[in-house]
Amino acid sequence: MRKKIALALSSGGARGLIHIGVIHELERRGFDIVSLSGSSMGALVGSMYVAGTLNDFKDWVTTLTRMEVLRLVDFTLGSKGFIKGERIFYEMQKRGFIPDINIEDLPKPMVILATDIVNNKEIVFRKGNLAKAIRASISIPNVFMPIQTTDGLLVDGGVLNPLPINHLITKGSDLVGAVDTNALIPYKKPKQEEHHAGETDEERSLFEQFKEKWYEFFEGDEKKKLEKASKLGYFDLLYRVLQVMMNNMTQKTLKETPPDFLVQTSKDACGVYEFYRAKELIAYGQKACTEALDKAEL
């Protein structure tokens, strides 16, 4: 008889593609994922899985080049974020990855987390329009434009709950699983793929400029890691503070609601925007899931 799993998926930007590999490995082993919860990319991947569109999304995202990823970014000079997030969302809806459906009408329970930064509280979506809930959940502070409500402002669910195990609907499940893509563990890169094949010199230069600015503002770089903290930029400091906070919240969650098995992958696996590394990240997720299940003897 197939074991039934309730699965919580963490936030993590492009690292959320790791969740695809985890889900595929669970299915390959014959587990039945009966309910999910997710923050940010965990909400997006979990929702597509429940909606039955995850394989189509995987087929698409694994073909994206660096420049195609860049073209899906709609920049803005707004004070609340420098990416609107509408272009990529429209593309995903147009391709049918995010169907026009209410959460309560999905074939399996799905819980989506966002954060109201005006009222300092979690927003837990168990019903309502799926696309609107996902869009709120993936609004990384200072990167994607937040979602305005009548009395609040919604951003990434990972701000207050990066691994929402506590919101899982566990009724009818045999096991509770969790996937943390932000763990403070090392990452060993596989043989590097050629991500810029076919790019013109101008396109390559444009992407490198974008990458340099992104890391400068949001993720830092190896050189900065060797410098004194006083020399770090404002956004770099903010990103590091968020990472420390999210890791502490994740550890608190794991202590209070320990899952039956935990898949952990490194926060250094990729940058927030590096969706063109999808094949590598999905394979990493599948491998990490295999190790976690073997360790738990499941």
Side-chain angles (χ1 to χ4, degrees):
M1 186 175 178
R2 298 177 70 188
K3 287 187 177 180
K4 297 179 179 180
I5 293 179
L7 187 65
L9 305 177
S10 76
S11 58
R15 291 189 298 277
L17 296 173
I18 287 167
H19 296 316
I20 300 175
V22 173
I23 288 171
H24 284 337
E25 181 59 20
L26 287 172
E27 289 195 320
R28 190 189 72 82
R29 291 201 180 202
F31 291 101
D32 183 11
I33 304 171
V34 295
S35 71
L36 296 97
S37 65
S39 286
S40 197
M41 271 296 288
L44 175 62
V45 171
S47 295
M48 289 189 292
Y49 171 72
V50 173
T53 62
L54 187 59
N55 286 334
D56 291 336
F57 172 76
K58 177 193 172 188
D59 292 342
W60 175 69
V61 77
T62 51
T63 67
L64 291 179
T65 65
R66 300 195 313 174
M67 288 308 299
E68 285 171 331
V69 170
L70 186 55
R71 291 188 188 105
L72 288 169
V73 176
D74 45 355
F75 294 101
T76 177
L77 296 178
S79 60
K80 296 176 182 176
F82 86 103
I83 298 174
K84 290 181 182 179
E86 304 308 325
R87 186 178 300 165
I88 177 64
F89 224 70
Y90 172 75
E91 184 69 20
M92 294 181 68
Q93 287 180 298
K94 183 180 75 172
R95 291 175 177 271
F97 304 144
I98 304 174
D100 184 16
I101 191 173
N102 284 342
I103 298 168
E104 65 268 28
D105 294 329
L106 291 167
K108 296 180 181 181
M110 180 71 212
V111 181
I112 296 172
L113 273 289
T115 303
D116 184 339
I117 56 173
V118 171
N119 298 295
N120 190 31
K121 64 180 182 180
E122 290 182 359
I123 302 297
V124 184
F125 293 99
R126 294 189 179 90
K127 61 183 180 178
N129 184 266
L130 178 66
K132 289 181 179 178
I134 295 172
R135 178 62 182 83
S137 186
I138 65 170
S139 299
I140 303 171
N142 285 318
V143 181
F144 286 98
M145 294 287 286
I147 300 299
Q148 184 80 51
T149 64
T150 53
D151 64 345
L153 202 62
L154 304 186
V155 300
D156 195 315
V159 170
L160 286 181
N161 197 341
L163 186 57
I165 305 172
N166 57 323
H167 290 293
L168 269 174
I169 298 171
T170 59
K171 185 178 179 180
S173 64
D174 303 309
L175 301 167
V176 171
V179 187
D180 174 21
T181 65
N182 304 301
L184 303 181
I185 57 178
Y187 178 64
K188 184 179 180 181
K189 277 191 176 184
K191 185 178 179 181
Q192 194 68 35
E193 281 189 50
E194 187 68 42
H195 295 297
H196 51 78
E199 291 177 9
T200 65
D201 290 341
E202 183 179 0
E203 287 175 331
R204 189 174 296 116
S205 175
L206 179 63
F207 187 88
E208 291 304 324
Q209 289 176 47
F210 165 74
K211 183 177 178 180
E212 181 180 346
K213 286 299 180 183
W214 181 290
Y215 274 93
E216 177 184 344
F217 286 128
F218 295 104
E219 299 187 51
D221 55 31
E222 292 303 317
K223 290 181 181 178
K224 281 190 175 182
K225 290 179 182 179
L226 301 177
E227 295 177 357
K228 293 182 179 179
S230 61
K231 295 183 180 181
L232 295 176
Y234 170 76
F235 288 112
D236 194 6
L237 283 170
L238 176 62
Y239 181 80
R240 289 166 188 256
V241 168
L242 283 172
Q243 276 199 323
V244 171
M245 290 172 60
M246 289 169 67
N247 183 259
N248 285 342
M249 286 186 286
T250 297
Q251 295 309 312
K252 183 173 181 288
T253 295
L254 291 171
K255 185 176 181 180
E256 292 176 350
T257 53
D260 296 298
F261 73 94
L262 172 65
V263 180
Q264 286 187 302
T265 59
S266 173
K267 70 174 182 61
D268 297 323
C270 74
V272 171
Y273 71 94
E274 292 180 317
F275 289 91
Y276 54 86
R277 292 173 57 190
K279 288 182 181 178
E280 172 192 340
L281 295 168
I282 292 169
Y284 179 35
Q286 193 155 3
K287 181 175 182 292
C289 183
T290 296
E291 293 172 352
L293 291 173
D294 289 347
K295 182 178 180 180
E297 298 183 344
L298 296 175

